[in-house]
Amino acid sequence: MHISVVGSGYVGLVAGACFADLGHEIILVDNDQLKLSALKSGAVPIHENFLPELVARHRGKRLNFSGDLSEAVRASSAIFIAVGTPATDQGDADLSYVESVAREVAGAINGYKVVVEKSTVPVYTSNWIRTVMSRNGAAPDSFDVASNPEFLREGTAVTDFLYPDRIVLGADHERCASLLREIYQPLTSGDYYRRQHAIPKPDRAHIPPTLLVTSAKSAELIKHASNAFLAMKVSFINAVASICESVGADVEQVRQGIGSDSRIGPRFLNPGIGYGGSCFPKDLAAFRAVARECGYDFRLLDEVIRINEEQRHLFLRKVRSALWTLKGKHLGVLGLAFKGGTDDIRESPAILLIQTLLQEGCSVAAYDPAATERAREVLSSKVEFASSPYEAAAGADALLILTEWDEFATLDLHRLYSKLQYPIVVDGRNLYDPQIMTAHGFTYYSVGRQTIPPESQVVAAAAAGRKSKPKNR
Ligand code: UGA
């Protein structure tokens, strides 16, 4: 199948490379010339497992890059729109990029085409695309508009695309549904998974994936509702974590207890400093705005968002209770990305927290395995960027853990202890067992679990044969 994918951001680039791996002929279209020439020369602008392999495998063969949308449309049966839908100041999605693509596609139509929304868009967008295309001269029987939402996560985008839990095809007509079925046939038939060079199956993947054919409006809602539900799970456990702290319970035990109920499931129940990224914050605001426009006041979403913001304030309060005053304190920070496994810092709670700490007069030395370059562009020159967790910790009054990178969960605790000015760790991602941290001489704060007070720490540290007093700078 000849396919155009418009927009070479996260979704577009991953979808284009994966469609090529399924065996389709792909033209990836972007109007950013710099990005295009980087892609044409083999650069992969995002940090994503298996993406460099796929781009190298198909670039110049089944995966080509172009700035000419009209030409790409003429050469394709399906056009996937994967351009940005940023939030406006009012929180709803700015669909002007989608509209201008629809206009240009309409002008280039030379036979039946399926136009597919791949970007996350509010319900009714498929109707609008249809209207815009008709207004711009596309004959009604020359195209269909479908919604095929993408559920990939950053960091595991390629395997999420190729081993999805479900494929949702929102198509209002059979002709369009059958063309989309054909595109995904290598996955739904299981054929792709038998190929010698298939990207390896991740744990937990069910193959072949479930295929759901729905109306376009239902598909649009499935995407927004899925992200809102996942964000709600995160805010729910964060709220439970606050209660755990008040009553002296352990949120990790509570989480295990809740998550063992197969109706609830254990995933997306990790407490922390709140969700971030380019999707949840934007999609919740957009879904809330869509609901309001449709006459439904979705106050549950307001609360999910409020709890998420509150979570950062609670973390700051913890840093204060560990250090008393903040002005003039030097902090080591582990993590800049909005979650582990990515270099993306958009809406990263770590960045927001660092900015607040700087405003409070702290100095910061930060380390992240992938996101340093991006963070350098947004953080003030007051932040020092370290080249290892231990360098970030060196001489710090406390160490803050802000991103759930695997690397941060396996630190050499003796080495870490020897680097810090005071053995204080404030962990926003619950990467360590409090008892182990205490046994290593740390005063350890985490989320939804008790902090063992310094007095008992002296005893514990003495038992572990370690010093617990502040060290000289
Ligand atoms: C999210 C969804 O998981 C994808 O299914 C969806 O396709 C994507 O948005 C999108 O709409 O494009 P992503 O933004 O990559 O994917 O990140 P997640 O893995 O969902 O994490 C989001 C945030 O929640 C992160 O800040 C993470 O640290 C936080 N989180 C996640 C928690 O605090 N606790 C958890 O248990 C899980």
Side-chain angles (χ1 to χ4, degrees), residues 240-241 243-254 447-450:
V240 171
I243 300 172
C244 288
E245 281 177 26
S246 311
V247 302
D250 180 335
V251 73
E252 294 302 328
Q253 293 173 356
V254 176
V447 183
R449 300 183 294 183
Q450 295 305 291

Side-chain angles (χ1 to χ4, degrees), residues 417 423 438 441-444 452-462 467-468:
Y417 183 93
T438 305
F442 293 99
T443 301
Y444 177 68
I452 299 167
E455 306 83 69
S456 18
Q457 186 201 319
V458 173
V459 177
K467 55 186 174 171
S468 65

Side-chain angles (χ1 to χ4, degrees), residues 21 24 30 53 98 116 177 240 250 266 312 423 429:
D21 211 41
H24 303 303
D30 207 293
E53 283 99 307
V98 175
V116 194
V240 171
D250 180 335
R312 284 200 306 278
R429 300 292 189 165

